[in-house]
Amino acid sequence: MLSTKRQPVALAVALSLGAVNMTAVAEEVAAESSAEKVMPSIEVIRVKGDQQLHRFDETGSVILIDRAQIEQVQPLSTEDVLRRVPGINIKGEEETSIVSNFGIRGLSASESKSLLLEDGVPVAPGLFIGNDRYFNTRIQRVESVEVLKGSASLRYGPSTIGGVVNYITKTPTDGVQLSARAGSFNLREMTLEAGAKNQAEDAFLGVVATKAKSDGFMDKGYDMSDVMVKAGLAISDKQKVGIKFAYHENEANISYRGLLLQQYLNGERNNPAPDDWYLTDRTAFDLNHEYVFDNNAKLNTLVYWSNTTRDYWRYDANTAASNTAGRWVYTNTLTGNNRSFERLGIESRLSFDQQLFGYAAATEFGLRLMEEESNDTRIRATRAADRSGNNDRHIIDSANSVAGYAQSRIQLTDDFAVTPGLRVESYEQKRTILTQNGDSAKTSNTELLPGVGATYELTANAQLYGGVYRAFSPASNGVALDGLTDQQLDGERSVNYELGLRGTVGAANYEVSAFYMDFANQVVTGNSDPNLSQSNAGKTEHTGMEFLFGYNLGAGFRLDTNATWVPTSEFKTGVNAGNRLPYAPKVLANVALSYSADAFSVALTAHHRGEQFGDPSNRIDIPANAAGGIWGGLLPAYTVYDLLAQYTAFEGFTVYGSVKNLTDKQYIAGLRQGIYVGPERAFEAGFRYRF
């Protein structure tokens, strides 16, 4: 749960997440469990608990989404939550978002220049070595979501150009909760949450376990298991320790290939690659320790380890036969692009209050050491033995990194605070090709990332904030050491500016922010021009605004809206100069009209995504035949409506249901080797029972 000091913010920011029973939210937020008090964690977003609804220490745009809001949306994935947040665009590939595809503030949703965390720990399998998409946190284990943009992102790294998304996982309270749902495409899902504490309430143990199966929209079925165990112990009134173990496994019948154009226009909605499989598992362990000194200084230390495997078995296509048939025609040979990723990291943060130049200041120092390694194999197989064969490419990628930062929030007056900071990221990458006689190459880079932000209390109900900072995203090993040659690529550097205003007026809450991102050398990988991904010539520029407005209409009704306007997201140099970045629509918008009574709530929500291009060339037409590489084309705008409702029949027992894509809108969600179709109308129903 969000702590009590976050209660006003959670109530004020509804984010078009549906009808939230405000009384229930207040009760749940106030009832912070003893388990949560025992469990230490790295704090991502810092909130002023004794101020008004809009008050944050953070100098950038902040969004907090609590558990009640998540439950009202009834999401199948974390990205079903993120698409309702201002500034975030989703490139959907299937309804549960097995891989991560989102962009922030005009950054391409087919890239990753924003940092994804789970309880403050990096989620992407490889931050420096790549790939950043192969694991996406399952929504069933998520308690709340934090989205942080602007200069406050300086405390994290790398790849915080767009911002930071942190998924806070559930910490089970005393007792047991069972939840289940079923729905379209033969969806079956069950989640068990169980927790217990000792009599002194200074130790706890909890588990969250989910089993989900579905035939999937377009027969893109999956079979997913997810287990998370947490335990915590208060060693003394000044010291506590917590551990988290998580295991995830998923077998998904998905592929890079989508429908050919005429298939889409004909209304065909079958799996275009029925024999392709994406097999993944992840094991992770986190150890948190917190020590509070006599002067109230606090030291948090986080040790984390994870191992992620991803086997991707894809059949080879006969291009000529596919063009003749108007659908993908496959051969009897396939390739297993099978990779594993291991990460070990330790991060410590020391925070304390002090007098700095005669002013009250809250200072924090941080240090992170991390090692990453991936094992990349390419297996050539046949249909007769489709899970074994010859390994004709075996690559070991590794990276060692050190990061440190210092930041201090200086209270210059009662109303005005300034927060300067500096982050340093230094890393070395190495690639060894075992199938090339063990040949190897190395490269290294160090980035200095200064920033400064400020907040100013204009009135009792309005806070002005803003800042400027330098951000970067490292080129992965495959790009930086392409051909075992140091490409001498600097990190992708961007100078980001933001100015915003947030506050409350009577029954309304609002936020408006303007941003400008100036990329010196953006690298856009995963497109049809391989030369661009090995060049520092991709200068880009991004300008835009975000708007959020919520209003209590009375009699249980509430209106929540947000919008994102990005008029400029443009290549300034290189072969694509003047073109718009792919998967960066000019307009995104969300609207929710909700009604809440004592035990019943219902909401009608709308999500609008403007048109966007599928590749940097900005081609308009979508290929009609089976083409190689990554497809381009103009993806039309669309609007999707969801109807959501839930009812608490008696204490501890809630039933809920939804109709998603209410009008059965047909739309293109994304392109790769073919067309990814957005999910059609779906019905879901479920219950939660706590005992």
Side-chain angles (χ1 to χ4, degrees):
M1 293 293 172
L2 297 178
S3 65
T4 51
K5 69 180 182 179
R6 295 187 179 183
Q7 174 185 348
V9 180
L11 294 174
V13 184
L15 293 173
S16 300
L17 287 176
V20 178
N21 185 319
M22 293 300 176
T23 301
V25 173
E27 291 174 353
E28 289 191 28
V29 174
E32 182 185 38
S33 71
S34 57
E36 290 170 303
K37 294 177 182 177
V38 172
M39 189 74 179
S41 63
I42 292 287
E43 187 180 39
V44 173
I45 292 181
R46 299 163 296 181
V47 183
K48 286 186 175 181
D50 57 352
Q51 298 294 330
Q52 301 299 318
L53 302 181
H54 59 282
R55 303 301 175 93
F56 296 90
D57 285 350
E58 307 300 353
T59 59
S61 174
V62 171
I63 296 296
L64 304 176
I65 305 165
D66 65 22
R67 181 168 182 172
Q69 292 169 321
I70 293 173
E71 288 177 347
Q72 287 288 345
V73 174
Q74 303 171 37
L76 283 176
S77 73
T78 51
E79 292 186 353
D80 195 20
V81 176
L82 292 185
R83 70 181 173 90
R84 305 166 193 268
V85 173
I88 296 184
N89 181 40
I90 302 298
K91 176 180 178 283
E93 296 187 2
E94 39 72 42
E95 64 265 35
T96 63
S97 299
I98 292 171
V99 297
S100 175
N101 286 296
F102 70 93
I104 299 180
R105 291 183 166 178
L107 298 176
S108 173
S110 63
E111 300 293 318
S112 183
K113 294 175 175 57
S114 303
L115 184 62
L116 194 59
L117 305 174
E118 180 180 299
D119 297 324
V121 175
V123 170
L127 293 178
F128 294 95
I129 58 178
N131 184 295
D132 44 28
R133 294 162 23 95
Y134 292 159
F135 176 75
N136 193 24
T137 295
R138 296 295 88 195
I139 191 63
Q140 293 86 354
R141 69 164 77 166
V142 174
E143 176 79 14
S144 59
V145 182
E146 302 176 321
V147 181
L148 177 63
K149 293 167 280 188
S151 58
S153 303
L154 191 69
R155 297 166 66 219
Y156 308 94
S159 300
T160 58
I161 295 170
V164 178
V165 174
N166 184 42
Y167 298 122
I168 299 176
T169 59
K170 297 174 179 177
T171 301
T173 56
D174 283 350
V176 177
Q177 176 172 294
L178 180 67
S179 58
R181 63 176 159 179
S184 299
F185 321 123
N186 199 23
L187 168 67
R188 294 148 289 161
E189 176 187 300
M190 182 172 291
T191 298
L192 174 70
E193 302 175 36
K197 62 184 178 182
N198 64 349
Q199 188 173 4
E201 298 190 359
D202 59 4
F204 81 94
L205 175 67
V207 62
V208 179
T210 298
K211 182 66 177 180
K213 291 185 177 182
S214 175
D215 295 341
F217 170 57
M218 293 178 58
D219 298 319
K220 296 181 179 180
Y222 60 89
D223 185 346
M224 186 269 289
S225 301
D226 193 87
V227 179
M228 180 184 69
V229 179
K230 279 187 175 182
L233 171 66
I235 301 173
S236 68
D237 60 345
K238 293 184 178 297
Q239 191 172 185
K240 54 187 179 181
V241 64
I243 61 173
K244 184 182 82 173
F245 169 82
Y247 178 76
H248 171 84
E249 184 179 27
N250 198 3
E251 297 182 0
N253 195 187
I254 60 176
S255 175
Y256 282 166
R257 301 192 192 276
L259 294 177
L260 299 186
L261 180 60
Q262 196 57 50
Q263 289 180 288
Y264 173 76
L265 296 176
N266 290 342
E268 297 181 35
R269 296 297 180 263
N270 58 291
N271 190 337
D275 296 326
D276 286 4
W277 286 89
Y278 182 98
L279 312 175
T280 184
D281 64 69
R282 182 178 187 263
T283 304
F285 181 83
D286 303 345
L287 175 64
N288 268 286
H289 179 266
E290 179 182 295
Y291 187 86
V292 179
F293 297 91
D294 291 337
N295 61 356
N296 287 325
K298 185 170 68 173
L299 177 66
N300 281 93
T301 300
L302 170 62
V303 179
Y304 51 91
W305 170 88
S306 64
N307 183 272
T308 304
T309 68
R310 188 226 65 170
D311 291 356
Y312 209 165
W313 296 95
R314 304 200 306 274
Y315 275 85
D316 302 323
N318 184 322
T319 300
S322 299
N323 289 336
T324 300
R327 59 177 176 82
W328 292 105
V329 175
Y330 296 96
T331 69
N332 289 321
T333 61
L334 71 158
T335 301
N337 287 310
N338 302 337
R339 301 172 185 174
S340 64
F341 301 82
E342 186 173 17
R343 172 187 290 124
L344 176 64
I346 181 171
E347 180 171 358
S348 286
R349 297 185 180 193
L350 176 64
S351 57
F352 54 91
D353 296 330
Q354 63 175 149
Q355 288 291 312
L356 191 62
F357 308 116
Y359 299 101
T363 301
E364 185 175 66
F365 293 100
L367 177 66
R368 187 209 70 217
L369 307 176
M370 190 169 67
E371 295 182 352
E372 297 180 325
E373 183 173 285
S374 70
N375 186 3
D376 182 356
T377 61
R378 184 174 64 191
I379 310 299
R380 302 295 190 181
T382 65
R383 193 175 294 273
D386 61 356
R387 290 294 184 271
S388 63
N390 296 322
N391 180 10
D392 70 350
R393 184 190 67 193
H394 195 174
I395 300 173
I396 304 295
D397 282 320
S398 60
N400 298 316
S401 63
V402 178
Y405 75 90
Q407 190 178 73
S408 188
R409 178 179 171 85
I410 306 170
Q411 198 72 43
L412 298 178
T413 70
D414 290 341
D415 297 325
F416 181 59
V418 63
T419 306
L422 175 66
R423 184 177 186 87
V424 180
E425 289 267 5
S426 182
Y427 56 97
E428 180 181 80
Q429 298 163 296
K430 181 180 179 180
R431 164 162 282 201
T432 301
I433 304 180
L434 299 180
T435 47
Q436 193 173 307
N437 301 316
D439 292 344
S440 65
K442 291 182 179 181
T443 186
S444 61
N445 185 39
T446 298
E447 297 287 338
L448 299 179
L449 309 168
V452 61
T455 60
Y456 181 68
E457 314 301 333
L458 288 174
T459 70
N461 297 309
Q463 183 186 51
L464 185 69
Y465 63 89
V468 56
Y469 74 108
R470 189 180 190 185
F472 99 110
S473 181
S476 66
N477 285 38
V479 174
L481 295 170
D482 182 70
L484 290 183
T485 300
D486 186 352
Q487 300 294 324
Q488 299 183 341
L489 298 181
D490 296 326
E492 299 180 73
R493 297 173 181 153
S494 175
V495 179
N496 294 0
Y497 305 82
E498 182 182 28
L499 180 65
L501 178 69
R502 54 194 168 213
T504 59
V505 179
N509 64 280
Y510 65 89
E511 181 165 355
V512 57
S513 60
F515 59 87
Y516 171 67
M517 295 189 290
D518 183 17
F519 262 98
N521 58 320
Q522 183 170 175
V523 174
V524 180
T525 58
N527 56 67
S528 56
D529 182 0
N531 295 319
L532 183 60
S533 67
Q534 301 169 6
S535 170
N536 283 325
K539 179 178 173 61
T540 67
E541 184 178 287
H542 310 258
T543 59
M545 298 184 71
E546 296 170 357
F547 308 88
L548 184 148
F549 178 77
Y551 188 74
N552 285 318
L553 301 170
F557 288 94
R558 179 174 174 85
L559 177 69
D560 287 289
T561 66
N562 65 63
T564 306
W565 177 52
V566 187
T568 304
S569 179
E570 183 179 306
F571 292 97
K572 305 302 290 186
T573 60
V575 296
N576 293 306
N579 290 352
R580 191 170 181 89
L581 264 71
Y583 296 103
K586 289 185 179 181
V587 177
L588 293 163
N590 293 283
V591 179
L593 178 63
S594 60
Y595 171 77
S596 297
D598 290 338
F600 175 73
S601 64
V602 62
L604 177 64
T605 71
H607 171 73
H608 175 79
R609 190 196 72 184
E611 66 180 20
Q612 56 186 353
F613 292 103
D615 78 342
S617 73
N618 286 187
R619 66 177 294 173
I620 301 297
D621 61 305
I622 295 175
N625 292 325
I630 305 301
W631 279 21
L634 183 64
L635 286 67
Y638 66 85
T639 303
V640 173
Y641 300 90
D642 296 337
L643 182 63
L644 313 156
Q646 65 176 351
Y647 174 70
T648 301
F650 53 85
E651 184 177 357
F653 183 75
T654 300
V655 294
Y656 55 89
S658 65
V659 184
K660 297 176 179 176
N661 193 358
L662 182 65
T663 62
D664 201 21
K665 176 69 175 179
Q666 304 295 301
Y667 63 95
I668 299 175
L671 301 172
R672 189 167 290 198
Q673 292 175 359
I675 295 171
Y676 288 131
V677 183
E680 64 189 15
R681 181 167 50 223
F683 300 87
E684 296 165 16
F687 70 87
R688 293 186 297 272
Y689 180 47
R690 173 167 289 280
F691 54 93

